[in-house]
Amino acid sequence: MTSSWDSAPRMHVLFSDYKARVFSADQVRQASAEQQAIFAQEVEEQQKAGGYDSIDTSKLPGKDVLQQPGSKPGETKLVQVDGKAEVYQWNESETRWDKIGDALGQAPTPQHQRAVYQGQEYDYVFDIELDDGSSHMRKLKLPCNQTDDPWLVAHKFLDDNMLPPIYLDQVANFIRQNTGAVSSSLPTAMAASDPFTGPSRYIPESGGTAPPKASTSFSQQPPVQHTTPSTAAFNSYFPMDSYKTFVSPDDYHQKIIQKLRDFNEKVDQSCTLHAGDMSCLSGLCKDLLLPHWDAATSSHETIINKVLSWPAEYCFPGLDVVRLLVLKSTGSRCLLSDELSSQQFLQTMEEFLCGAKAESKNQMAVLRMFANIFATKHGEDLMLKNFEWISAKLEDIYKSDNRTCQIALATVLLNYCHCYSKNPSEDACSSLAIHTNRVIQLGFDNEAKYRVLIGIGILVRSSPTAHQILSSSDVISTIKALKNITDHVKLAECAGIVVKEIEKSDHF
């Protein structure tokens, strides 16, 4: 038997008929003339039958590229000749390019070959790069099936990733164009209540379908038009089933570690992380993005504290690690192991929120961390116990014109509203009514207003005192004005629902 690693140059090809064939320059290994003739006939018949995604030959180089010698035996090039795509292979022994066939294109993906995402099979799983105005592109996964309603899928995708509805038409149209999906009809009751997926939703004019693409990118731009939001009784906004958190894509750890390494070279040598510490932190960042990993230790805490001692401009990636760490039970236990460590933790966060290190990126990271920390029992207890202290530290954020800080602040308030709906406190709810109304009254980003509106809906249903505070004519008129917002459909719809909730007199 001859080893596959011998010197004769060969090329292994998997064809669209799911048969693997081996091409060799060694005549001893080549098929008989009869077999080669059969193969040539099969190729010719397949060309006539078509069924392939065509190759754009205008983007291929001409035959002049074959004047340059190949870099290694068996190297192949795709070349445009008379409007066709031809494949050439470098013949090292004769120092020439030999034509080995024509490129037909890519065969359609069989129905049974489906992509898997989070343990479930889908017809498509698209890689989405989202430009949300931050310093890096967010990488997300968009799973869908051929028979799914594009607007339902888009709505769920935005909700799962806490994205504003301004992307709805853009995401839905991407799904339609790249899957050939069509909208399914929905029951009348649901259609009347859901402006995103019902018949009254905005559906752009139909166009041709395109072959599925591996990835795309979205940028935040206003939709062309919208429907008037429905204010039907159906309410998908509140109460909430769980806390809203800030999570990250699977490859996010690479960005954190790269920043930590860059900054580690810039800080004073006394603060520098040694190779062992950096390796430990790198492993932690990767593990934190695994859904079932939960094994943080005190050694992790020690290294993170060292990073947080760096100058203010270098602390952001360390705070980002803390944001992910508090989502894990062992992470919260490490940071909040007893009363003393809890108070030290809050004092450290205070420095970044409103103290000497209060730069906008650090403030955003701390607020996102406070939103995430509700996710574990230790974290929820900390936030309940220190509500007055934390709410007082938010004062500086109300003055911020940073959109990401405003949204993070609104998420903290929203999670507090959800928390006190489960752990009733009239004093805390009345304070939250004042805080949430303040966000509504100020010139905050619409996504921030949307999140606190959900919080107001929760408060109105769960607290008589909060209901009374939020029933003032000034509050109601401000919320009513939000019903006319045109670039944030969910905000406008939620505003209508919240007004109706406030105006009810039979809550208590």
Side-chain angles (χ1 to χ4, degrees), residues 29-42:
R29 296 185 175 89
Q30 291 176 356
S32 66
E34 182 181 358
Q35 289 175 316
Q36 291 188 39
I38 293 172
F39 173 67
Q41 183 178 358
E42 289 176 349

Side-chain angles (χ1 to χ4, degrees), residues 13 17 30 70 136 179 239 244 279 340 343 350 416 443 469 507:
V13 181
D17 60 359
Q30 291 176 356
H136 58 270
T179 66
K244 289 290 186 184
S279 176
L340 179 60
Q343 292 307 310
E350 178 185 14
Y416 258 128
I469 293 172
H507 275 305

Side-chain angles (χ1 to χ4, degrees), residues 199-236:
S200 63
R201 69 181 179 266
Y202 163 62
I203 302 179
E205 294 181 2
S206 297
T209 59
K213 299 175 183 177
S215 66
T216 188
S217 61
F218 297 140
S219 59
Q220 186 169 340
Q221 296 180 359
V224 176
Q225 66 184 86
H226 71 287
T227 56
T228 302
S230 167
T231 54
F234 177 77
N235 175 13
S236 60

Side-chain angles (χ1 to χ4, degrees), residues 448-469:
K449 290 181 179 180
Y450 165 63
R451 296 189 185 199
V452 297
L453 258 187
I454 298 173
I456 288 174
I458 294 171
L459 290 173
V460 168
R461 285 190 174 184
S462 58
S463 166
T465 308
H467 187 195
Q468 184 178 3
I469 293 172

Side-chain angles (χ1 to χ4, degrees), residues 3 37 53 106 140 155 181 200 206 208 215 228-229 274 286 292 392 397 403 433 445:
S3 167
D53 294 337
Q106 181 180 2
L140 307 171
H155 190 193
S200 63
S206 297
S215 66
T228 302
H274 302 302
K286 188 173 182 179
H292 302 299
I397 310 301
R403 176 180 179 271
D445 179 85

Side-chain angles (χ1 to χ4, degrees), residues 102-273:
D102 295 324
L104 303 181
Q106 181 180 2
T109 303
Q111 291 296 320
H112 67 274
Q113 288 191 339
R114 308 182 73 202
V116 178
Y117 176 66
Q118 294 186 345
Q120 185 173 343
E121 286 190 345
Y122 294 91
D123 292 331
Y124 306 90
V125 177
F126 296 107
D127 293 315
I128 304 297
E129 289 189 347
L130 178 68
D131 182 3
D132 60 1
S134 60
S135 58
H136 58 270
M137 298 285 283
R138 286 182 64 186
K139 293 185 178 180
L140 307 171
K141 297 288 185 182
L142 172 56
C144 64
N145 291 311
Q146 184 77 26
T147 56
D148 288 343
D149 186 298
W151 269 263
L152 279 172
V153 175
H155 190 193
K156 184 178 185 304
F157 172 75
L158 298 182
D159 193 54
D160 289 347
N161 293 284
M162 299 186 71
L163 298 172
I166 196 170
Y167 293 115
L168 183 67
D169 289 339
Q170 198 172 358
V171 176
N173 281 322
F174 169 80
I175 295 169
R176 290 173 67 243
Q177 292 167 4
N178 290 281
T179 66
V182 294
S183 303
S184 61
S185 59
L186 294 172
T188 304
M190 181 180 288
S193 63
D194 195 340
F196 305 108
T197 59
S200 63
R201 69 181 179 266
Y202 163 62
I203 302 179
E205 294 181 2
S206 297
T209 59
K213 299 175 183 177
S215 66
T216 188
S217 61
F218 297 140
S219 59
Q220 186 169 340
Q221 296 180 359
V224 176
Q225 66 184 86
H226 71 287
T227 56
T228 302
S230 167
T231 54
F234 177 77
N235 175 13
S236 60
Y237 299 107
F238 53 84
M240 292 168 27
D241 295 326
S242 59
Y243 292 112
K244 289 290 186 184
T245 56
F246 291 91
V247 295
S248 296
D250 294 343
D251 62 345
Y252 190 68
H253 69 280
Q254 298 171 356
K255 297 180 175 67
I256 299 179
I257 291 302
Q258 188 56 54
K259 279 293 182 185
L260 287 169
R261 285 175 176 153
D262 292 345
F263 292 162
N264 195 44
E265 296 177 358
K266 297 179 180 180
V267 298
D268 188 87
Q269 193 169 1
S270 61
C271 304
T272 301
L273 297 181

